[in-house]
Amino acid sequence: MKIDKIYVWIPWFLSIVLLFILAQTNLILKESPQKVYQVSLILDSEDESEYVNLKKGVDDAAKRYNIDINLLTLNSASQRELIESEENNGTDGIIVLAKNDLKLGMTRVPQVVVKPKNVDVFDINKSGGSTTNISTSKRTINIDYVDMITRLYEILKKDCDNISPIYVFYNNTNSAGVESEIEFLKSKEESSVFIEGDESEFRTVIEDLVHSKKSAYIFSLDKCSTDNLCKILGTGSVYNEHIKGFYCIGATTLFLNKLDDGNIDAVSTLNEYDMGYSAVEMLMADLKKTGYMSNVDMKNILLDKESFKDEDIVKQLFPIE
């Protein structure tokens, strides 16, 4: 009996010893750790709060593809300088929301560029004769700002009394889409008043309306300008009394709440969550060399207060809820 027990325990003991030796010498097959990709997201603004839904889409896609997102807003450095800096710091890929003055040549890492549909941000002459595949640098998500302003203008014409002037506010012409929006409005309304600046300039114009006892329809061509106008109009009901209609390009939660409250009459925007998610998918397809379309054209959404009755639209506008 004792000999039988010894024969039973010897194989068990030897197996334990063998497993210990294998573990110590890394001979056991272990699952290799999944690569974490470093991706830089470069905005076209100093204020990241303008892109909450886009960031949500990027972050959700980043979780799926095991990506670490490095978010960069604009400061004293240009977008071109930020791109070069991120390349030098070893980023695996870049997503950039292009301003109108951005020009890209050949790049060392895959990029996805979010840009106006009618603008070419690629400058082949900057390639310097490199043999790098230029198609890597030409993955784009295109936004049709002309369609945005056209549809918004059609709403204005339905509301307009053809007496009150149209004031058009914008931060600067380097903001994506603003130049084409201005060109469109000038072709339709030669008498429109165009105001470039920030909150202080806008406040002066609105206060002049009040003091002169006049009223106007107002267009806002970028999120920064809409945010400033909302701040001004929110400081006193007397200002709103002199605004016949308020129409803006781009949406944030604040603007949508103002639309729902009736303080904004119409908004032309797009599904920024899908745009952010698609940008990450396109970049990962480039990094992993899998098939994916090189260009995506975003569909615009025209909103008024009645739009909030459509559950599908609400889900697009508030994916973070």
Side-chain angles (χ1 to χ4, degrees):
M1 289 292 292
K2 291 182 179 181
I3 293 175
D4 291 341
K5 288 182 179 180
I6 290 174
Y7 285 138
V8 171
W9 283 101
I10 287 176
W12 180 85
F13 177 76
L14 291 175
S15 65
I16 295 297
V17 172
L18 179 60
L19 286 172
F20 177 78
I21 294 172
L22 289 173
Q24 294 300 310
T25 56
N26 292 321
L27 293 177
I28 293 181
L29 294 178
K30 296 181 179 179
E31 183 179 353
S32 59
Q34 188 176 3
K35 176 179 173 57
V36 177
Y37 292 90
Q38 303 297 320
V39 171
S40 304
L41 172 61
I42 301 175
L43 302 182
D44 61 356
S45 166
E46 296 179 5
D47 185 4
E48 64 181 83
S49 67
E50 294 178 4
Y51 291 105
V52 173
N53 281 357
L54 179 136
K55 286 166 52 189
K56 175 63 175 172
V58 168
D59 289 342
D60 283 355
K63 293 175 184 176
R64 175 183 175 185
Y65 291 105
N66 207 37
I67 296 173
D68 184 15
I69 297 291
N70 180 27
L71 176 67
L72 296 99
T73 57
L74 291 187
N75 42 46
S76 58
S78 68
Q79 287 188 318
R80 179 67 257 179
E81 290 169 334
L82 288 175
I83 289 171
E84 291 175 354
S85 174
E86 290 303 293
E87 287 179 330
N88 292 334
N89 290 335
T91 188
D92 293 309
I94 295 172
I95 299 169
V96 56
L97 277 61
K99 292 178 70 70
N100 278 352
D101 59 354
L102 178 63
K103 292 297 179 184
L104 296 171
M106 304 290 264
T107 56
R108 283 176 281 167
V109 299
Q111 294 191 25
V112 173
V113 183
V114 181
K115 68 175 189 65
K117 186 176 182 179
N118 61 339
V119 172
D120 186 6
V121 300
F122 300 103
D123 186 353
I124 306 301
N125 295 324
K126 290 189 176 184
S127 64
S130 170
T131 57
T132 306
N133 185 0
I134 188 65
S135 65
T136 298
S137 302
K138 282 195 168 182
R139 293 189 184 271
T140 63
I141 294 180
N142 306 304
I143 302 174
D144 192 343
Y145 287 101
V146 174
D147 176 68
M148 278 191 184
I149 196 68
T150 300
R151 297 168 71 180
L152 206 57
Y153 176 76
E154 290 171 354
I155 296 294
L156 166 69
K157 293 307 292 181
K158 292 178 181 179
D159 300 339
C160 188
D161 58 15
N162 295 317
I163 298 174
S164 302
I166 299 172
Y167 284 14
V168 182
F169 296 86
Y170 61 97
N171 184 246
N172 60 71
T173 54
N174 276 335
S175 299
V178 168
E179 279 189 345
S180 57
E181 293 164 1
I182 291 174
E183 288 176 6
F184 173 84
L185 289 174
K186 284 184 175 179
S187 71
K188 297 293 184 180
E189 299 288 339
E190 295 181 359
S191 60
S192 296
V193 180
F194 292 85
I195 303 100
E196 178 179 2
D198 54 25
E199 184 178 352
S200 59
E201 285 85 7
F202 295 175
R203 186 177 294 277
T204 299
V205 172
I206 300 298
E207 288 179 349
D208 285 346
L209 273 178
V210 175
H211 295 152
S212 62
K213 298 182 180 179
K214 295 180 180 179
S215 297
Y217 294 90
I218 61 175
F219 264 106
S220 177
L221 303 186
D222 56 79
K223 290 180 179 179
C224 179
S225 298
T226 305
D227 188 62
N228 285 327
L229 287 167
C230 286
K231 290 177 183 177
I232 296 166
L233 299 178
T235 58
S237 59
V238 65
Y239 295 140
N240 286 287
E241 294 171 3
H242 293 267
I243 305 302
K244 287 290 191 73
F246 186 179
Y247 311 86
C248 64
I249 300 288
T252 67
T253 300
L254 171 64
F255 307 162
L256 295 174
N257 287 335
K258 293 289 185 181
L259 178 66
D260 193 29
D261 293 340
N263 294 314
I264 292 178
D265 294 273
V267 172
S268 194
T269 187
L270 47 79
N271 188 331
E272 290 190 2
Y273 176 91
D274 279 357
M275 184 168 72
Y277 202 102
S278 296
V280 174
E281 287 189 318
M282 291 176 73
L283 188 64
M284 288 307 299
D286 207 340
L287 286 167
K288 293 185 174 182
K289 306 304 178 188
T290 57
Y292 198 91
M293 64 186 71
S294 59
N295 296 283
V296 172
D297 292 335
M298 295 300 299
K299 293 182 179 180
N300 294 328
I301 308 171
L302 184 64
L303 305 168
D304 58 20
K305 189 172 182 178
E306 295 299 310
S307 302
F308 292 99
K309 296 179 181 179
D310 188 326
E311 291 185 3
D312 290 335
I313 290 180
V314 171
K315 289 178 182 178
Q316 293 181 52
L317 299 175
F318 300 100
I320 60 175
E321 298 299 335

